[in-house]
Amino acid sequence: GESTYNPVAEAQAGIFVGAEDPEALAAAIQAIIDLPFAVRWGMGQRGMAWVARHHDVRILADRLEQVLLNGMTARAKTG
């Protein structure tokens, strides 16, 4: 099925286009070109901030550590 994960919309950083839809991609590109520079700049800034908050390697490492520790704790409890 289709994923509901949409970081572009979540970050308000652009226009989401589904896979394998070249017409929608072309329309989205044109729509972004037609936006004022300040709006495009804001999309870029929000996108970079979103990536820094959600995909920074330190944050991802901390999340992985928590998953592993939780798994070890759960396994220790079940024997």
Side-chain angles (χ1 to χ4, degrees):
E2 295 273 331
S3 173
T4 59
Y5 178 63
N6 187 341
V8 175
E10 186 176 321
Q12 298 177 338
I15 299 171
F16 174 79
V17 177
E20 300 189 34
D21 191 346
E23 292 83 12
L25 178 59
I29 291 169
Q30 189 60 57
I32 289 175
I33 289 169
D34 292 342
L35 292 172
F37 175 78
V39 174
R40 295 191 317 263
W41 178 265
M43 286 180 176
Q45 294 299 304
R46 288 187 298 276
M48 288 189 297
W50 190 92
V51 168
R53 280 192 312 273
H54 297 280
H55 292 285
D56 179 273
V57 69
R58 292 165 297 210
I59 293 169
L60 295 176
D62 288 343
R63 288 180 187 165
L64 176 59
E65 179 182 33
Q66 287 305 309
V67 167
L68 295 173
L69 289 173
N70 290 342
M72 290 172 47
T73 301
R75 187 170 187 195
K77 288 180 182 179
T78 61

